[in-house]
Amino acid sequence: MLKEVTATRFIAPLREGGSLPGLIEADDLGMYVLKFAGAGQGRKTLVAEVVCGELARRLGLRVPRLATVELDPVLGLGEPEQEVQQLLRSSGGTNLGMDFLSGALGFDPLASEVGSGEAGRIVWFDALVNNVDRSWRNPNMLRRRGELWLIDHGATMIWHHNWPGAAVSAARPYDASDHALNTFAPDVAAAAEELAPRITGELLAEVTAEIPDVWLAGEPGFDTPDELRQAYARPLLARAGTVHQRIRGLQGEQ
Ligand SMILES: Nc1ncnc2c1ncn2[C@@H]1O[C@H](COP(=O)(O)OP(=O)(O)OP(=O)(O)O)[C@@H](O)[C@H]1O
Ligand SMILES: [Mg+2]
């Protein structure tokens, strides 16, 4: 189960992100990066954060701990900025929180060393979930004490925007040409050998069980949240064994 906390204070908007996440304090005295349920991208972004974040963590990649954050829209009343106030007011209920990594810096491919093993595991994982948001322009990785942390898995699993076409969409290649780790000789073959066997129905059931029901309810074509959880698991299970053969644009490749 994800930790459940309640927001007690809105601290500041985090301006870098396209979706305007916020920094909040919660009733456990922790600081969290909050992804708003009422943001334009909607609940599917939050579902993607949970599925990919919890899957990556179980594969041994570093992801800040996730939590659900209950938000009382009253917190927005004192907020001077119209845009932030609007987000707070439209996000009452369950939102997504991520441990704020204080002291972490944005990953800079020109100022960092990453081993080909780790680069391979991350590129392979991004191919599995079809992450289109880990480019050198916008790496969505943080560095702290020499360690790489993965954040921002909102733009993944494109197939969840069109479930009837999910199987076809999930069979497409993954373009890694702009990937932030492409210059670190990612060893995706080794990563596939190590990680693909770990993607089992059981693991995916455990991961999708972490998605709060409220973000799954009411999806057209699905009667229950659990049916939708299974739909999230299926393409990942189908891709795991062979996705490394469909990664395009790796440097050194013809
Ligand atoms: N857990 C964290 N700890 C510290 N800083 C964070 C954390 N999560 C996000 N940030 C900071 O906030 C910024 C925006 O976060 P994130 O990338 O998740 O938001 P986004 O709106 O989805 O971004 P974009 O669409 O621009 O990629 C990050 O680039 C990073 O600087
Ligand atoms: Mg981002």
Side-chain angles (χ1 to χ4, degrees), residues 27-230:
D27 57 352
D28 64 348
L29 305 185
M31 295 238 283
Y32 293 85
V33 173
L34 189 85
K35 298 267 174 126
F36 291 103
Q41 291 82 348
R43 301 182 304 179
K44 285 192 179 176
T45 308
L46 310 188
V47 173
E49 293 274 9
V50 172
V51 173
C52 298
E54 291 304 313
L55 182 57
R57 187 193 320 288
R58 283 165 177 79
L59 297 177
L61 301 170
R62 286 179 213 94
V63 180
R65 193 177 47 145
L66 302 179
T68 57
V69 181
E70 293 304 313
L71 183 77
D72 183 340
V74 159
L75 276 191
L77 289 181
E79 193 48 45
E81 261 186 83
Q82 194 70 43
E83 191 186 2
V84 176
Q85 186 178 122
Q86 190 51 42
L87 263 177
L88 284 161
R89 285 164 58 147
S90 61
S91 300
T94 306
N95 297 264
L96 180 75
M98 179 184 278
D99 267 356
F100 178 71
L101 294 185
S102 56
L105 297 174
F107 172 76
D108 176 357
L110 299 178
S112 313
E113 274 304 318
V114 182
S116 66
E118 183 172 26
R121 286 190 291 277
I122 294 172
V123 171
W124 182 85
F125 170 75
D126 284 335
L128 176 70
V129 298
N130 187 52
N131 186 5
V132 298
D133 230 358
R134 194 108 62 207
S135 73
W136 51 268
R137 280 177 225 95
N138 184 13
N140 286 314
M141 290 183 281
L142 301 177
R143 266 176 76 88
R144 189 166 71 162
R145 301 191 200 104
E147 291 180 338
L148 266 188
W149 290 80
L150 307 182
I151 58 164
D152 195 359
H153 297 107
T156 57
M157 303 188 293
I158 189 168
W159 45 85
H160 74 155
H161 297 290
N162 176 23
W163 285 116
V168 175
S169 156
R172 298 214 175 100
Y174 178 71
D175 180 5
S177 50
D178 285 345
H179 198 284
L181 299 178
N182 200 352
T183 53
F184 296 95
D187 190 347
V188 292
E193 201 172 316
E194 179 191 340
L195 301 180
R198 291 167 62 178
I199 308 291
T200 60
E202 198 178 19
L203 182 76
L204 292 168
E206 184 186 310
V207 163
T208 54
E210 303 276 17
I211 313 166
D213 278 355
V214 282
W215 299 342
L216 297 171
E219 177 73 11
F222 297 88
D223 292 333
T224 64
D226 278 341
E227 268 180 38
L228 187 48
R229 288 188 173 93
Q230 287 161 20

